[in-house]
Amino acid sequence: MRLPEPGVRGRPGFAELFAALPVAVLVVDPDDRIAHANALAEQLLNLSERVMLGQPLAAILPPPEAAQAHDGHGFAIYDTEIATARGVRMRVDFVEAMVPDHPGWRTVTLHNAAGARRFATAGERGPGARAAVGAAAMLAHEIKNPLSGIRGAAQLMGAGELTQLITTEVDRIAGLIDRMQDFSDTRPLPIAGENIYPLLAHARGVAQAGFARGVRIEERYDPSLPPAAINRDAVTQILINLLKNAREAVRGERMPCITMTTAYRHGVTRAGAPGQPRVPLPIEICVIDNGPGAPADIAEHLFDPFVSSRPEGQGLGLALVDKLVRDMGGIVQYAREGAPAATVFRLLLPRAVR
């Protein structure tokens, strides 16, 4: 299989688009030999495409050990260590996918795992999350109790514009602290096998009845998903937070649209606890919007506390999503995908054990 020739009339062809992809991609033929490598693959592996062409994949990029058990449907292994042919070791997200209508052909995509903080287990939180836990506990103790006294004193002053202002601001700050306290709760979430479809329907109903009223919310579900090993309240909170985020993202669009999707992903795993095997995460839920996406300077930090692209934003909604997903042993990702590009928040969750 060869990539088509460059486009005509100023339009790029597939060969040019393949070269410009923002991730490292190798195309592997049915004989398990490299047929193409884009510019980022050359850069990441420190080898030219000319040198790699025709070489067995294993000679250039030995697949991770966990890849040996895949079932031919493709697979994804997040935050894994690989060694290149030149002995360079690196942490990457290793994704293999079959090429439709071309039996035996597949692509191997490598994402540098510099941002792998988001893929850690609940016990391996990054410094930002640990700081948020400490800050939440401190603020709850040092600020919330005095706020109650301030509110009570303001009410004793009687009705008036100043009293109303004080009361409103105290309530706003108390609400913010309540949200921060969510980070200080380190108790394990109770996990059970749950049907995700009632949770999706409930979150969609809440959105359409309130903050997303008038915005089209499409559903594209795989109706055959098995139960997921989740906490139903946590997943409901996650979905509502993501739908709120999507609603804000499409506020300036002429035809705003939010899409909720589900799928079963074979071979998707994450690192387990030290000394434990990798954990399969086959249940995928996506919340997609046609907004402009996050600014480039904060895209890698969206799940950090207090990071927001909106001046009025508190930067806690996505951080809470990250915490709750971790507590269930899953992964949350942000990406810009498709043509035209759309914003995708992807949840990858474990399947319930029968």
Side-chain angles (χ1 to χ4, degrees):
M1 182 182 74
R2 296 299 302 173
L3 293 171
E5 293 302 316
V8 296
R9 297 183 180 178
R11 293 180 299 175
F14 287 117
E16 294 163 307
L17 292 175
F18 176 75
L21 286 174
V23 293
V25 182
L26 301 173
V27 179
V28 183
D29 68 18
D31 295 325
D32 207 37
R33 295 181 179 274
I34 296 173
H36 299 283
N38 72 345
L40 275 184
E42 292 179 304
Q43 178 181 333
L44 186 65
L45 301 175
N46 197 26
L47 290 169
S48 70
E49 183 186 44
R50 181 177 58 81
V51 169
M52 290 187 278
L53 289 183
Q55 294 294 318
L57 175 63
I60 300 297
L61 184 69
E65 290 184 12
Q68 307 304 319
H70 75 88
D71 56 6
H73 291 89
F75 60 92
I77 302 174
Y78 292 98
D79 189 22
T80 188
E81 187 175 83
I82 62 171
T84 68
R86 297 191 172 185
V88 177
R89 307 191 72 85
M90 66 183 78
R91 298 203 71 83
V92 298
D93 301 332
F94 187 105
V95 181
E96 181 177 295
M98 303 299 107
V99 178
D101 300 324
H102 291 79
W105 289 82
R106 64 192 194 275
T107 62
V108 173
T109 306
L110 304 173
H111 299 257
N112 194 306
R117 176 202 66 80
R118 295 199 294 274
F119 307 147
T121 61
E124 298 172 326
R125 302 195 189 284
R130 290 195 296 270
V133 171
M138 179 190 71
L139 285 172
H141 178 72
E142 299 294 337
I143 299 178
K144 197 171 181 182
N145 288 340
L147 281 179
S148 298
I150 295 172
R151 195 181 195 283
Q155 290 176 324
L156 291 175
M157 293 170 58
E161 183 177 344
L162 180 59
T163 299
Q164 183 61 43
L165 175 63
I166 294 173
T167 302
T168 299
E169 284 301 292
V170 167
D171 288 345
R172 182 183 65 82
I173 296 170
L176 175 61
I177 293 173
D178 283 339
R179 295 189 68 191
M180 291 188 63
Q181 280 186 288
D182 290 332
F183 293 103
S184 65
D185 187 355
T186 57
R187 294 172 298 178
L189 283 177
I191 302 297
E194 299 282 356
N195 180 353
I196 66 169
Y197 295 105
L199 309 182
L200 293 165
H202 176 73
R204 184 181 186 273
V206 170
Q208 297 247 264
F211 57 83
R213 186 189 302 273
V215 176
R216 187 169 85 257
I217 300 181
E218 297 181 353
E219 297 174 323
R220 300 177 188 170
Y221 296 158
D222 177 344
S224 61
L225 288 188
I230 55 175
N231 178 277
R232 60 182 302 117
D233 292 336
V235 169
T236 300
Q237 182 66 57
I238 288 166
L239 292 171
I240 290 174
N241 279 18
L242 291 180
L243 287 168
K244 283 182 178 178
N245 190 75
R247 174 64 185 98
E248 291 301 317
V250 301
R251 194 168 291 279
E253 298 299 314
R254 187 172 62 87
M255 298 181 64
C257 180
I258 300 170
T259 305
M260 302 172 71
T261 72
T262 65
Y264 192 90
R265 298 301 181 193
H266 295 270
V268 177
T269 66
R270 67 159 174 82
Q276 298 297 314
R278 297 188 68 87
V279 179
L281 300 175
I283 308 297
E284 178 188 274
I285 303 173
C286 293
V287 176
I288 305 168
D289 68 73
N290 65 340
D297 59 334
I298 68 169
E300 290 296 318
H301 307 283
L302 281 179
F303 298 102
D304 291 340
F306 312 117
V307 174
S308 176
S309 60
R310 305 193 311 273
E312 73 281 7
Q314 299 167 349
L316 293 176
L318 291 179
L320 181 58
V321 166
D322 180 55
K323 175 188 184 297
L324 293 176
V325 173
R326 287 167 179 258
D327 288 347
M328 293 184 290
I331 289 171
V332 58
Q333 297 173 314
Y334 162 83
R336 293 282 290 169
E337 298 178 0
T343 297
V344 180
F345 282 94
R346 176 175 287 107
L347 306 177
L348 296 166
L349 300 167
R351 175 178 178 170
V353 178
R354 294 178 180 177

